[in-house]
Amino acid sequence: GAAMAHGHGPGRCRCCGEEAAERGAAWGLYLRIDRQRLQCLNERREGSGATVFRPWEERRDRSQFVESDDDEELLFNIPFTGSVKLKGVIVMGEDDGTHPAEMRLFRNIPHMSFDDTAKEPEQTFSLSRDPLGELEYPTKIARFSNLYHLSMHFPKNFGAETTKIFYIGLKGEWTEAHRHEVTICNYEASANPADHKLEQITPQTHFIS
């Protein structure tokens, strides 16, 4: 039926609902975060950092936010459940001094601490105040392909004592982690009893590191 046809061509008007749904789907990487291992350093309220990773449609829910504690810095360690190609980021805060002013992205450095932020990031962004979650910061995609862990460092804000973030949107593609390395290890291990003992002690996830 003609009603089913998806017209992307010129002259074909698409309803806002469909466009919003498609836009929302593009920002679906929050579903691919390994929430058990997600960390936010210097968060005032434990667990609040995780709340900023939520559906795009809920980005304006002001009841969920993270605020920094000792100073204005925040650091997120975000492990994914597979391999990600990160294409864009949205950072939404208040329209005041608590909004982060800079964002530094690091790739594949699990368990980063504030000491580690002295390293050179893959990409640094000067942020504008974005109280409505409308500004998208495009990443250098070549640097953020094959990403299984993303660290986001917010070193400063627009002058307040603490930093507040309401929503962080991550746009990109996700592919399942290749597990065939595990299969090969298991096969070799079962061929050799000595290795087999070792394999039981060693968590199978080690090949990722």
Side-chain angles (χ1 to χ4, degrees), residues 33-52:
I33 293 171
D34 181 348
R35 298 224 168 225
Q36 301 300 310
R37 289 166 44 229
L38 174 68
Q39 285 180 314
C40 179
L41 280 62
N42 198 34
E43 58 183 11
R44 177 166 292 186
R45 205 174 74 250
E46 198 179 330
S48 56
T51 67
V52 304

Side-chain angles (χ1 to χ4, degrees), residues 113-173:
S113 66
F114 283 109
D115 292 345
D116 297 324
T117 59
K119 295 178 183 172
E120 190 63 36
E122 295 295 332
Q123 198 170 353
T124 302
F125 299 86
S126 292
L127 302 180
S128 301
R129 290 181 196 168
D130 184 14
L132 298 176
E134 292 170 331
L135 301 176
E136 177 180 336
Y137 298 93
T139 60
K140 295 173 179 161
I141 296 174
R143 294 191 183 182
F144 295 99
S145 299
N146 231 337
L147 183 72
Y148 60 83
H149 187 284
L150 173 68
S151 298
M152 310 180 85
H153 178 219
F154 297 94
K156 55 178 191 260
N157 59 23
F158 286 97
E161 299 264 309
T162 59
T163 296
K164 268 170 110 166
I165 297 175
F166 285 91
Y167 168 80
I168 294 177
L170 301 174
K171 183 168 99 171
E173 295 166 17

Side-chain angles (χ1 to χ4, degrees), residues 10 20 26 75-76 80 84-85 89 96 109 114 145 154 171-172 206:
L75 175 63
F76 292 88
F80 295 104
V84 163
K85 182 186 285 183
V89 180
D96 63 16
I109 312 175
F114 283 109
S145 299
F154 297 94
K171 183 168 99 171
H206 272 188

